[in-house]
Amino acid sequence: MEQKERKYQLTVKGNVKMLTMMDSFATVGIYELQWNGQNASRPELQEYVLEEKEVRLTEYFDPNTYQLIEYVNKLARIYNRQHICINKDGQIKGLLNLPEIKGKWDAVKKELMQVNPIAAFEIIRHKDRELDAPVEVIENLANTHFMQLFLYDWGIRPGGTETTRRQIVRDRMGIGFFVPVVQTFGTTQQPDGYSVQVEAILDGGGRIDKGMITLVTGQQELDIKHYTRASFQHDGNGVLLSADMTVFEQLTNDCRSDLYLHLESIS
């Protein structure tokens, strides 16, 4: 029987070059995940409650990174509890506590307005628009580091053949463009569970919004690359015990990132 509650530690390490800026950073977060079984109205969906208990910046090169991470975490704190529904393909198909999230945002919004209403105006306008579009909220939640690992090999079970998927994924650099990739999954059966190994490369036949990338980076000549290597360890019931993922992305030689994610069950 699947364990209904589990605590995880997520470590993120990154190296980023964006034109003349270079930075390295590391964060550690603690998460609690609870499985609530089938959704009462739509039994084909599984309900989970994810709570972010703590996120700490443990390493940084640029002093401005600390302020930036603190600012981002402040805005992201409204999502520190997510009651979601996941389908058989590992897609988030429902967010059941959106009113709770909006209530947290109202409190943060008041705080921002008290500190600097002029500077906060554009941030508030963007977040208000996002929260009025549940589909966009769900897409953003699915793109968080925790969910990236938790859902990446969803539905893959041990077997004798490789599985290939063509997917459209969000970039891990945080710019917001979509990347067409080809993912190849392999599995290894073990006495107490199984492991999944994954490689993903850029799908040369897929479409990329190069105009958006040029607008964001100011670079006309692009050299887009993507490579992901990951491994996932599951117990005999399919519960995720640990995951490691390395992602390399490049837009040009002056805009690229290396990202390492490690998720470990700690209870």
Side-chain angles (χ1 to χ4, degrees):
M1 182 177 179
E2 182 175 345
Q3 181 176 333
K4 291 194 173 184
E5 294 184 13
R6 190 169 285 270
K7 182 179 287 187
Y8 292 93
Q9 178 173 287
L10 172 62
T11 301
V12 179
K13 297 182 179 181
N15 299 293
V16 180
K17 181 180 183 184
M18 188 63 69
L19 302 178
T20 59
M21 184 202 79
M22 297 183 66
D23 196 14
S24 299
F25 66 91
T27 63
V28 175
I30 302 296
Y31 298 81
E32 290 183 0
L33 184 70
Q34 176 178 304
W35 175 55
N36 288 353
Q38 295 177 330
N39 178 264
S41 301
R42 297 183 59 186
E44 74 276 13
L45 301 179
Q46 299 291 319
E47 284 189 28
Y48 288 86
V49 176
L50 176 66
E51 294 194 49
E52 181 184 271
K53 295 298 184 180
E54 176 189 12
V55 176
R56 293 181 291 110
L57 180 66
T58 57
E59 299 175 24
Y60 57 93
F61 176 75
D62 186 340
N64 292 324
T65 299
Y66 179 82
Q67 294 180 333
L68 178 61
I69 294 291
E70 285 294 299
Y71 171 75
V72 170
N73 285 343
K74 187 180 189 66
L75 291 180
R77 218 166 286 146
I78 66 173
Y79 299 115
N80 61 6
R81 182 179 180 276
Q82 305 163 22
H83 189 173
I84 58 176
C85 293
I86 300 174
N87 71 5
K88 64 180 180 62
D89 298 319
Q91 299 170 329
I92 300 177
K93 288 298 183 180
L95 178 61
L96 303 183
N97 68 320
L98 185 57
E100 173 189 334
I101 291 170
K102 287 184 175 181
K104 292 178 181 177
W105 168 237
D106 286 340
V108 172
K109 184 161 50 174
K110 289 178 182 177
E111 185 179 335
L112 291 173
M113 289 297 290
Q114 290 172 355
V115 173
N116 191 331
I118 296 176
F121 175 78
E122 190 61 31
I123 299 168
I124 290 172
R125 189 169 71 91
H126 174 78
K127 186 61 69 174
D128 281 342
R129 187 169 61 243
E130 176 186 313
L131 290 174
D132 284 336
V135 172
E136 183 177 345
V137 174
I138 287 173
E139 286 180 355
N140 290 337
L141 295 182
N143 197 50
T144 61
H145 293 317
F146 183 94
M147 281 299 168
Q148 171 80 354
L149 293 174
F150 184 64
L151 299 176
Y152 201 88
D153 71 334
W154 191 277
I156 301 294
R157 292 292 183 265
T161 60
E162 289 187 338
T163 300
T164 300
R165 293 175 177 172
R166 278 183 160 78
Q167 300 275 21
I168 304 296
V169 300
R170 289 270 289 274
D171 73 287
R172 305 309 301 167
M173 299 175 73
I175 293 176
F177 67 94
F178 290 90
V179 185
V181 298
V182 179
Q183 302 166 329
T184 303
F185 298 82
T187 62
T188 303
Q189 185 74 60
Q190 298 164 342
D192 54 353
Y194 63 96
S195 63
V196 179
Q197 302 81 40
V198 189
E199 286 192 353
I201 60 173
L202 188 69
D203 184 352
R207 181 183 177 277
I208 299 177
D209 189 348
K210 295 182 179 180
M212 174 192 175
I213 297 173
T214 295
L215 183 65
V216 172
T217 64
Q219 304 294 297
Q220 295 292 331
E221 295 186 10
L222 304 179
D223 183 17
I224 300 173
K225 298 177 182 178
H226 176 98
Y227 179 73
T228 295
R229 180 190 292 271
S231 62
F232 303 86
Q233 185 67 43
H234 298 264
D235 69 11
N237 294 315
V239 175
L240 182 62
L241 301 178
S242 65
D244 288 278
M245 177 178 286
T246 301
V247 183
F248 172 76
E249 289 183 330
Q250 175 178 295
L251 305 179
T252 72
N253 190 50
D254 292 323
C255 299
R256 61 181 187 268
S257 70
D258 288 290
L259 192 66
Y260 170 71
L261 311 175
H262 174 71
L263 187 68
E264 186 81 24
S265 173
I266 55 177
S267 69

